[in-house]
Amino acid sequence: MRIATFNINGIKARLPRLLEWLEETRPAVACLQEIKTQDEGFPAEEFEKIGYKAIWHGQKSFNGVAILADGVEPVETMRGLPSLSDDDEPDEQSRYLEAEVNGVRIANLYLPNGNPQPGPKFDYKLRWMKRLRMRMHDLWQCETPAIVLGDYNVIPESKDTYSVRAMADDALTQPASRDAYMRLLGDGWTDALDTLNPRGGVWTYWDYQRGAWQRDHGFRIDHCLLSPELADRLISAGVDKEYRGREKASDHAPVWVEISD
DNA sequence: ATGCCCTGCAATGCAGGA
């Protein structure tokens, strides 16, 4: 089965591109980020028409995540990340949605960007990563096949950006961001795309500005992390790069993994 | 040092993204 992630940057503006991609590549599961719409504005019927059932966690104007499954209803297991302690606020932003699809736990995330850094937005990013790690500990304990995928907003290593220098002050490359990401890998999760492309140079995002796409000035921030049960079944992983070059494209390209059934 | 480009919301600009 193919499981994909796609930061679509606005589901209303992207709907034709999104439907086109679903029909052309037909992933079993598609995790979407930045749907940028409230729950009632989600075009579920458009996906039903082409055979996908969806669950979603929306928010007005910003953020928002959704899980689409081919022919089956995703069974929701969590909406938003749990607090770290009793005096910790629940997350008010719609950035996490988790479901079971065909015996696989699917955790879809849109991690905070964190710019500018340092500052409150960067602090929020790091706190959010702490919450995520706690949730991934629980998923690990379940010993069920699990994939935690989405827009992590972290460039893990120098080999994952066209220019180390251009990104030096960005929240995406800060040691604290990278450390938090590396801790997830240290816990035993497998970065699918990195495992199959150890030399790097694979991008999932190209800025709209400065002709970044035309100059191939990209970086890798959309990741698929696999539990050991799924890592053993990993066949291939890739980026649907071509979709970044189409009319009215998102600034991200879809990323996918192929898992043996 | 800042804007570049794009989206949504609402309004002829703004916040937020990365």
Side-chain angles (χ1 to χ4, degrees):
Chain A
M1 71 189 293
R2 181 181 298 218
I3 304 169
T5 173
F6 192 3
N7 181 321
I8 54 173
N9 186 20
I11 202 164
K12 290 166 191 161
R14 209 70 56 220
L15 195 56
R17 280 293 91 85
L18 178 57
L19 293 170
E20 187 177 274
W21 169 71
L22 288 168
E23 295 199 286
E24 289 172 4
T25 70
R26 211 67 207 181
V29 180
C31 293
L32 309 179
Q33 303 89 36
E34 285 205 87
I35 63 173
K36 293 187 175 181
T37 184
Q38 306 174 78
D39 282 342
E40 46 271 36
F42 188 84
E45 63 288 348
E46 298 292 333
F47 301 120
E48 287 271 359
K49 276 187 213 161
I50 60 165
Y52 280 90
K53 296 187 189 302
I55 59 171
W56 57 96
H57 182 26
Q59 183 182 329
K60 190 177 179 180
S61 303
F62 307 115
N63 311 314
V65 285
I67 299 174
L68 277 52
D70 189 0
V72 290
E73 183 93 37
V75 179
E76 186 172 320
T77 51
M78 184 160 288
R79 173 171 297 241
L81 284 173
S83 306
L84 291 172
S85 61
D86 291 341
D87 54 348
D88 193 15
E89 297 293 314
D91 197 359
E92 73 283 4
Q93 301 184 9
S94 299
R95 296 178 173 278
Y96 186 87
L97 188 61
E98 188 189 294
E100 186 104 358
V101 180
N102 293 333
V104 177
R105 189 67 67 95
I106 310 285
N108 177 21
L109 65 90
Y110 174 48
L111 213 145
N113 169 296
N115 280 307
Q117 71 80 30
K121 291 189 175 180
F122 191 64
D123 297 340
Y124 173 62
K125 176 183 192 135
L126 297 181
R127 277 204 311 280
W128 206 93
M129 294 187 83
K130 210 172 196 176
R131 287 188 190 211
L132 175 63
R133 190 179 182 209
M134 293 302 293
R135 180 58 189 161
M136 288 171 74
H137 273 299
D138 289 344
L139 289 174
W140 187 274
Q141 300 295 333
C142 293
E143 293 183 8
T144 178
I147 176 168
V148 183
L149 71 169
D151 179 356
Y152 278 73
N153 268 318
V154 175
I155 297 172
E157 297 182 66
S158 298
K159 66 182 180 180
D160 298 311
T161 173
Y162 77 100
S163 166
V164 170
R165 196 172 168 183
M167 300 305 290
D169 295 326
D170 198 285
L172 278 55
T173 62
Q174 293 314 297
S177 308
R178 287 180 164 174
D179 287 351
Y181 185 76
M182 291 307 166
R183 273 192 281 276
L184 303 176
L185 304 187
D187 289 340
W189 295 85
T190 297
D191 181 333
L193 201 55
D194 185 57
T195 299
L196 298 177
N197 300 275
R199 297 181 65 174
V202 178
W203 318 143
T204 69
Y205 170 89
W206 295 258
D207 203 298
Y208 287 124
Q209 303 181 64
R210 297 171 296 262
W213 168 248
Q214 288 75 11
R215 299 155 82 181
D216 200 28
H217 285 182
F219 36 84
R220 188 173 75 95
I221 52 175
D222 300 274
H223 309 305
C224 303
L225 267 53
L226 309 179
S227 73
E229 297 84 358
L230 277 194
D232 286 346
R233 291 162 55 187
L234 177 63
I235 297 168
S236 55
V239 180
D240 289 333
K241 184 174 175 178
E242 178 225 331
Y243 289 83
R244 178 62 183 84
R246 296 197 183 182
E247 285 298 310
K248 291 277 284 176
S250 170
D251 41 5
H252 295 249
V255 181
W256 52 266
V257 294
E258 189 74 42
I259 303 290
S260 64
D261 293 321

